[in-house]
Amino acid sequence: EYYKNDKTFIIDVLTQATELPSKADFERLFPQSLRFDRDIVLAFCQRDDFEKLYQDRHLYVPYTLTNDAEVMKHYVRKIQRALQSCSEELMDDPDVVRIAVLRDGLELQYASRRLQEDEAMLRLACSNDGRALDFCPLGDVRHRLLSDREFMKTVVSNKGGIMMRQVHESLRYDQELLHLALGSGLEFRYVPAELQSDPQFCEEAVAVKSEIYYQLDKKLQLLEPIAEAAVTAPDSTAGLMDNIAKQVKIF
């Protein structure tokens, strides 16, 4: 069993073997002295199945390596919330944070305040998940971006519909943004009251998300254009169609 302490042999196994021995067998043969070895950790990280191995074998980041940029780049590229395991220095490292938010925009929550307020980083994170804007601290940058129509269009088009509740007053009645937001997480009750009673807006809203039909005023539900838009919406269901058929003659 000379190979049990042969670092080169173990790295060769990690880098070349398609499948590893079972967790129990591998740990029985794997020497404690090498568990936190940087080269061994990197060999694990570089495997195609690293994410699965991480989950199955609890390959948490060794505390001694949380300030190692090369190691942590591998972790944040593949493992959810790995950025929070980084040292404070790496949470403020643009290269490390960029990799993390490219994987999941919500990783921005673990970045340093400086990078949470960095406009380029915010735009990158929000292009992945618009909800990342919520992790930008209050201040000039956040205020400016909430007033930027094109940026907010990106936000509400990418899972960030709820952020429409925080837009600048100048955008609050923007119907295109509102329709995009309704299709991406915004609840109809947060639409300005004037638009909730506007037949044309409601018709376009149910065409985006058919279940909004149930949230409309009864008088609006009975309007044939609105009922038809709900029935023909891409996400319309048989149940919705049956309910509408009972109260509205569309054809």
mmCIF file of all heavy atoms in Angstrom, residues 14 19 44 50 57 158 170 204 209 220 224:
data_model
loop_
_atom_site.group_PDB
_atom_site.id
_atom_site.type_symbol
_atom_site.label_atom_id
_atom_site.label_comp_id
_atom_site.label_asym_id
_atom_site.label_seq_id
_atom_site.Cartn_x
_atom_site.Cartn_y
_atom_site.Cartn_z
ATOM 1 N N LEU A 14 -6.846 11.088 -9.645
ATOM 2 C CA LEU A 14 -7.859 12.154 -9.695
ATOM 3 C C LEU A 14 -7.956 12.789 -11.076
ATOM 4 O O LEU A 14 -9.040 13.212 -11.498
ATOM 5 C CB LEU A 14 -7.536 13.224 -8.654
ATOM 6 C CG LEU A 14 -7.738 12.819 -7.186
ATOM 7 C CD1 LEU A 14 -7.195 13.894 -6.259
ATOM 8 C CD2 LEU A 14 -9.203 12.569 -6.896
ATOM 9 N N GLU A 19 -14.015 7.432 -13.217
ATOM 10 C CA GLU A 19 -14.784 7.290 -11.991
ATOM 11 C C GLU A 19 -13.838 6.975 -10.847
ATOM 12 O O GLU A 19 -12.851 6.264 -11.017
ATOM 13 C CB GLU A 19 -15.824 6.177 -12.125
ATOM 14 C CG GLU A 19 -16.932 6.484 -13.134
ATOM 15 C CD GLU A 19 -18.009 5.416 -13.123
ATOM 16 O OE1 GLU A 19 -18.022 4.596 -12.177
ATOM 17 O OE2 GLU A 19 -18.829 5.408 -14.049
ATOM 18 N N PHE A 44 -8.972 17.686 -7.558
ATOM 19 C CA PHE A 44 -10.412 17.462 -7.391
ATOM 20 C C PHE A 44 -11.197 18.533 -8.162
ATOM 21 O O PHE A 44 -12.138 18.223 -8.905
ATOM 22 C CB PHE A 44 -10.795 17.535 -5.910
ATOM 23 C CG PHE A 44 -10.814 16.214 -5.198
ATOM 24 C CD1 PHE A 44 -9.898 15.938 -4.192
ATOM 25 C CD2 PHE A 44 -11.757 15.247 -5.516
ATOM 26 C CE1 PHE A 44 -9.927 14.720 -3.515
ATOM 27 C CE2 PHE A 44 -11.794 14.036 -4.845
ATOM 28 C CZ PHE A 44 -10.874 13.762 -3.842
ATOM 29 N N PHE A 50 -16.650 17.490 -10.601
ATOM 30 C CA PHE A 50 -16.325 18.093 -9.310
ATOM 31 C C PHE A 50 -17.578 18.514 -8.535
ATOM 32 O O PHE A 50 -17.667 18.302 -7.322
ATOM 33 C CB PHE A 50 -15.413 19.312 -9.492
ATOM 34 C CG PHE A 50 -15.159 20.070 -8.217
ATOM 35 C CD1 PHE A 50 -14.605 19.440 -7.121
ATOM 36 C CD2 PHE A 50 -15.477 21.415 -8.106
ATOM 37 C CE1 PHE A 50 -14.375 20.129 -5.934
ATOM 38 C CE2 PHE A 50 -15.257 22.118 -6.931
ATOM 39 C CZ PHE A 50 -14.701 21.464 -5.837
ATOM 40 N N ARG A 57 -19.293 14.050 -1.445
ATOM 41 C CA ARG A 57 -18.159 13.769 -0.555
ATOM 42 C C ARG A 57 -17.811 14.949 0.355
ATOM 43 O O ARG A 57 -16.790 14.924 1.025
ATOM 44 C CB ARG A 57 -16.951 13.352 -1.397
ATOM 45 C CG ARG A 57 -17.294 12.189 -2.323
ATOM 46 C CD ARG A 57 -16.115 11.595 -3.018
ATOM 47 N NE ARG A 57 -16.536 10.514 -3.894
ATOM 48 C CZ ARG A 57 -15.762 9.491 -4.249
ATOM 49 N NH1 ARG A 57 -14.512 9.422 -3.806
ATOM 50 N NH2 ARG A 57 -16.218 8.548 -5.050
ATOM 51 N N ASN A 158 -34.845 39.297 -16.714
ATOM 52 C CA ASN A 158 -34.015 38.194 -16.236
ATOM 53 C C ASN A 158 -34.318 37.884 -14.766
ATOM 54 O O ASN A 158 -33.503 38.139 -13.874
ATOM 55 C CB ASN A 158 -32.533 38.539 -16.398
ATOM 56 C CG ASN A 158 -32.086 38.538 -17.845
ATOM 57 O OD1 ASN A 158 -31.889 37.495 -18.444
ATOM 58 N ND2 ASN A 158 -31.942 39.719 -18.411
ATOM 59 N N SER A 170 -40.197 57.872 -12.528
ATOM 60 C CA SER A 170 -40.312 58.122 -13.973
ATOM 61 C C SER A 170 -40.595 56.850 -14.768
ATOM 62 O O SER A 170 -41.043 56.910 -15.919
ATOM 63 C CB SER A 170 -39.033 58.781 -14.490
ATOM 64 O OG SER A 170 -37.917 57.921 -14.317
ATOM 65 N N GLU A 204 -53.131 42.802 -22.401
ATOM 66 C CA GLU A 204 -51.726 42.496 -22.697
ATOM 67 C C GLU A 204 -51.071 41.745 -21.537
ATOM 68 O O GLU A 204 -50.199 40.894 -21.739
ATOM 69 C CB GLU A 204 -50.978 43.784 -23.002
ATOM 70 C CG GLU A 204 -51.471 44.463 -24.285
ATOM 71 C CD GLU A 204 -50.910 45.860 -24.481
ATOM 72 O OE1 GLU A 204 -50.173 46.327 -23.580
ATOM 73 O OE2 GLU A 204 -51.215 46.472 -25.521
ATOM 74 N N LYS A 209 -49.032 36.426 -18.941
ATOM 75 C CA LYS A 209 -49.163 35.457 -17.848
ATOM 76 C C LYS A 209 -50.643 35.230 -17.594
ATOM 77 O O LYS A 209 -51.313 36.042 -16.965
ATOM 78 C CB LYS A 209 -48.468 35.986 -16.590
ATOM 79 C CG LYS A 209 -48.274 34.969 -15.504
ATOM 80 C CD LYS A 209 -47.413 35.546 -14.383
ATOM 81 C CE LYS A 209 -47.148 34.510 -13.313
ATOM 82 N NZ LYS A 209 -46.280 35.079 -12.229
ATOM 83 N N LEU A 220 -63.757 43.204 -15.702
ATOM 84 C CA LEU A 220 -62.711 43.032 -16.715
ATOM 85 C C LEU A 220 -62.641 41.585 -17.175
ATOM 86 O O LEU A 220 -62.398 41.308 -18.354
ATOM 87 C CB LEU A 220 -61.359 43.484 -16.157
ATOM 88 C CG LEU A 220 -61.204 44.984 -15.918
ATOM 89 C CD1 LEU A 220 -59.903 45.286 -15.192
ATOM 90 C CD2 LEU A 220 -61.269 45.749 -17.235
ATOM 91 N N GLU A 224 -64.580 40.132 -23.525
ATOM 92 C CA GLU A 224 -64.142 39.065 -24.419
ATOM 93 C C GLU A 224 -62.684 39.176 -24.858
ATOM 94 O O GLU A 224 -61.986 38.158 -24.895
ATOM 95 C CB GLU A 224 -65.065 39.005 -25.644
ATOM 96 C CG GLU A 224 -66.454 38.490 -25.301
ATOM 97 C CD GLU A 224 -67.304 38.253 -26.546
ATOM 98 O OE1 GLU A 224 -66.718 38.232 -27.659
ATOM 99 O OE2 GLU A 224 -68.535 38.105 -26.396
#
